[in-house]
Amino acid sequence: MADYVQVSTATEHREQALELARVAVRDRLAAGAQIIGPVTSVFWHAGEFGTGEEWKLLLKTTAERYPELEKHLVENHPWANPEVCATPIVAGAEPCLQWIESSTTAD
C-alpha cells in the first residue's frame, strides 16, 4: 500500500487557493482539495508578530507525488516563502485511500 499525506498551505485570497487547487487536481498531483476560510492566522514573519485573514488549502496525495505537488505550490504561490506542510495519513477508509491512489496516477 502507498503512503498518503494531507498537504496544507494558505493564501491571502480565495481565488489564489482555488487556482492552486484546480491545477494540482487537474494535473493529478492531488486527488482532491478543500478550501476553508477565511481563517484567522496569528504568526511571526520576517521578525514581526502579526495577524491576518487567510484561505486554508488542504490537498490529499501520495507520498510519491508529494515532491511534485510541493514544487507546484511553491512555484505558483503568490508568496515568496509560503507555508507548505505534509502530514502523514496514518489510517483511512480503504475506498478513500484507493481513490487517492487512483486519482494521482496518470492515465
Side-chain angles (χ1 to χ4, degrees), residues 5-10 56-59 66 69-70 73-74 82-88:
V5 294
Q6 179 169 274
V7 179
S8 65
T9 191
K56 192 73 169 175
L57 174 56
L58 301 174
L59 305 109
Y66 173 76
L69 177 57
E70 178 187 294
L73 294 173
V74 170
E83 165 202 339
V84 177
C85 296
T87 304

Side-chain angles (χ1 to χ4, degrees), residues 13-58:
H13 302 289
R14 179 185 175 277
E15 295 75 19
Q16 295 166 330
L18 182 58
E19 182 61 15
L20 288 170
R22 188 186 68 74
V23 174
V25 174
R26 181 198 67 201
D27 292 351
R28 297 187 175 271
L29 303 175
Q34 292 85 34
I35 299 166
I36 304 163
V39 297
T40 301
S41 292
V42 180
F43 52 85
W44 281 98
H45 179 71
E48 294 186 22
F49 179 78
T51 61
E53 274 194 358
E54 299 175 341
W55 292 83
K56 192 73 169 175
L57 174 56
L58 301 174

